[in-house]
Amino acid sequence: MTTTPAEAGGSNVPPDRARPRMEIRNRQTAGLTFRADPWAARKAGARATATVRSWGYEHLDEPDLETAVRRLVDAAVADGGKRISVHLADQDHRILAVALSHVAGSAPDEGAVLTELAALRTVVSCGSDVGPDGRRVWALLDAAPSRRRGKGPDGLTMT
């Protein structure tokens, strides 16, 4: 005879099934959620910039952050879901911005968006990955004035 947890004095509640989730620890974070509509990028860019501004980064290149978040959100909206989320975190004068599409299995071509992100002056790195909770597109931005990238006299990027 097989006993179920309820028969053995346990709960009738099914066991908690661990959902894969992105975790960010030991730093300031914020999560912003938007409907996946054409104006989500503009809203997300403005709210993300205001959020990071409140963290006290006086040397943050706000136009770069806003542009990066807009590009990330545009990519997530293109996946065709009903909502997207933007996750922000900071550490060591760097800002991580991640857009999550919440559409399982979506993986459109990211070449253009990653190229646009990499061209921003303060973007240190960018990338994307796909998980069960959807596609994540991310950018890491430098908020410290001494480490900013720029163009040298020969037009090449300096770090």
Side-chain angles (χ1 to χ4, degrees):
M1 174 177 176
T2 305
T3 56
T4 63
E7 293 168 344
S11 169
N12 285 331
V13 178
D16 183 28
R17 297 183 195 262
R19 287 184 20 192
R21 301 187 83 103
M22 180 172 71
E23 291 185 33
I24 301 172
R25 298 180 184 185
N26 302 322
R27 59 199 63 140
Q28 296 180 99
T29 63
L32 311 170
T33 305
F34 303 92
R35 281 192 353 220
D37 56 32
W39 47 89
R42 189 184 83 237
K43 289 179 183 179
R47 283 191 49 204
T49 300
T51 298
V52 174
R53 184 184 305 127
S54 75
W55 294 347
Y57 283 97
E58 59 201 43
H59 298 290
L60 175 68
D61 186 330
E62 290 184 2
D64 263 16
L65 175 63
E66 186 163 349
T67 299
V69 170
R70 284 181 176 210
R71 297 292 182 266
L72 295 169
V73 169
D74 281 338
V77 168
D79 287 351
K82 293 183 180 182
R83 69 183 174 102
I84 59 100
S85 58
V86 175
H87 304 273
L88 304 165
D90 77 329
Q91 183 177 0
D92 299 329
H93 295 284
R94 291 201 170 161
I95 306 298
L96 174 65
V98 181
L100 179 60
S101 69
H102 299 280
V103 178
S106 62
D109 179 32
E110 289 122 3
V113 71
L114 296 180
T115 300
E116 291 173 11
L117 288 167
L120 295 172
R121 189 170 60 93
T122 58
V123 170
V124 176
S125 62
C126 59
S128 69
D129 65 85
V130 177
D133 54 349
R135 179 170 65 125
R136 289 179 290 266
V137 186
W138 57 270
L140 183 65
L141 293 93
D142 198 344
S146 63
R147 296 189 302 217
R148 287 201 180 146
R149 300 182 331 171
K151 300 288 182 186
D154 56 1
L156 299 176
T157 301
M158 302 180 340
T159 56

